[in-house]
Amino acid sequence: MKKGMFIVLEGPDRSGKSTQAGLLKTWLESLGHEIVVTREPGGTYLSEKIRKILLDPKSRIEPMTELFLYETSRIKHTLEKIIPALEAGKVIISDRYTLSTTAYQGYGRGLPLKTVETLNRIATMDLKPDLTVVMDIPDKIFSQRERLSHKVSGPDRIEREPDIFRRRVNRAYKLLARRPGVVRVNAGRPIGEIQEDIRARVSKIMKRLKI
Ligand SMILES: Nc1ncnc2c1ncn2[C@@H]1O[C@H](COP(=O)(O)OP(=O)(O)O)[C@@H](O)[C@H]1O
Ligand SMILES: [Mg+2]
């Protein structure tokens, strides 16, 4: 039986997901909750191995192969990490989950959305996050952050995709943010302001779940 809370942060690379996940963790811990921060693809030994394959610029991966790799990583992550944490009453914060697959492999790669959604349901065994936050970042700010960060480390396989792919993904996120259980935050603002918004959204869910 699920007793904890499952929060997902979504959005393009460099939209600030990891930054916000860390701040959210600190706040929730100060309220006395036990927090698990995790990420997709990844989160378990096997899933992190799959992550390496997926992000390696040397990997040549067809769209459908890519979809299955993400979903394989997700099944393991959900079974081994997310469900046990929720059953133990913990709060789990995941940097990406199913919405990423819909945005990148569905809208980005152009795979049939029905196939993507079916595999998402299978891989999660129908587990739904209590809240998914989409970090929505204006294109201009996004390019600035991207230029800065690539000076430190080279782009991974997905980051090497052309701008048109990224634009499709970003547009998809705006659309997906209208789904039930999903909220959009303007991620083009100072870190503290974004965090305040996220905390307000999370507070609402905690009240509803009575945790
Ligand atoms: N609101 C913000 N304004 C300016 N820079 C930010 C903001 N949020 C994050 N950053 C910076 O942008 C980069 C990407 O942030 P990160 O949290 O790693 O994004 P993601 O996990 O979505 O890829 C980091 O260098 C981070 O310090
Ligand atoms: Mg990150």
Side-chain angles (χ1 to χ4, degrees):
M1 233 272 289
K2 176 177 166 296
K3 293 178 294 187
M5 176 168 65
F6 183 20
I7 299 165
V8 175
L9 295 176
E10 283 283 359
D13 274 317
R14 327 234 182 259
S15 58
K17 300 182 298 299
S18 302
T19 306
Q20 296 299 329
L23 293 169
L24 192 59
K25 173 179 192 275
T26 308
W27 175 63
L28 287 167
E29 273 173 351
S30 78
L31 298 179
H33 297 287
E34 243 190 285
I35 317 298
V36 177
V37 175
T38 190
R39 67 174 179 183
E40 285 213 350
T44 72
Y45 180 78
L46 187 134
S47 308
E48 289 288 333
K49 294 251 174 201
I50 298 174
R51 178 189 182 90
K52 283 218 173 74
I53 296 170
L54 278 164
L55 300 185
D56 183 352
K58 292 200 292 289
S59 296
R60 302 176 75 100
I61 310 178
E62 305 78 11
M64 193 59 88
T65 312
E66 182 177 279
L67 173 64
F68 273 79
L69 282 169
Y70 276 108
E71 300 292 6
T72 305
S73 156
R74 177 163 302 135
I75 299 172
K76 189 64 178 161
H77 187 213
T78 304
L79 280 173
E80 192 176 309
K81 196 158 181 181
I82 300 173
I83 291 175
L86 290 174
E87 284 177 348
K90 296 178 188 171
V91 174
I92 185 143
I93 303 171
S94 187
D95 183 336
R96 301 188 177 284
Y97 202 54
T98 47
L99 217 65
S100 284
T101 317
T102 306
Y104 284 78
Q105 282 66 48
Y107 287 89
R109 301 287 188 213
L111 288 173
L113 290 179
K114 219 172 144 209
T115 306
V116 175
E117 302 281 0
T118 301
L119 287 175
N120 276 345
R121 267 200 307 281
I122 294 170
T124 56
M125 290 142 284
D126 263 332
L127 176 73
K128 299 274 185 295
D130 295 299
L131 177 69
T132 299
V133 177
V134 172
M135 308 281 292
D136 186 18
I137 182 163
D139 284 342
K140 227 169 92 189
I141 297 179
F142 181 68
S143 317
Q144 283 165 5
R145 255 186 233 176
E146 202 178 26
R147 272 198 301 279
L148 285 175
S149 64
H150 283 173
K151 283 177 193 152
V152 184
S153 62
D156 66 35
R157 192 180 62 88
I158 304 291
E159 288 164 353
R160 279 170 194 235
E161 288 297 331
D163 273 356
I164 182 142
F165 176 79
R166 247 94 51 89
R167 279 200 293 274
R168 278 205 298 270
V169 170
N170 292 3
R171 266 206 311 274
Y173 270 127
K174 288 184 204 293
L175 212 69
L176 295 170
R178 296 192 201 134
R179 287 188 175 181
V182 183
V183 299
R184 173 196 161 275
V185 301
N186 175 355
R189 294 173 299 157
I191 291 170
E193 271 182 42
I194 303 167
Q195 179 64 200
E196 264 181 48
D197 263 16
I198 296 176
R199 287 180 188 180
R201 304 288 195 166
V202 171
S203 288
K204 257 196 201 164
I205 304 292
M206 287 199 293
K207 265 199 200 125
R208 205 186 66 209
L209 296 175
K210 298 190 174 68
I211 66 165

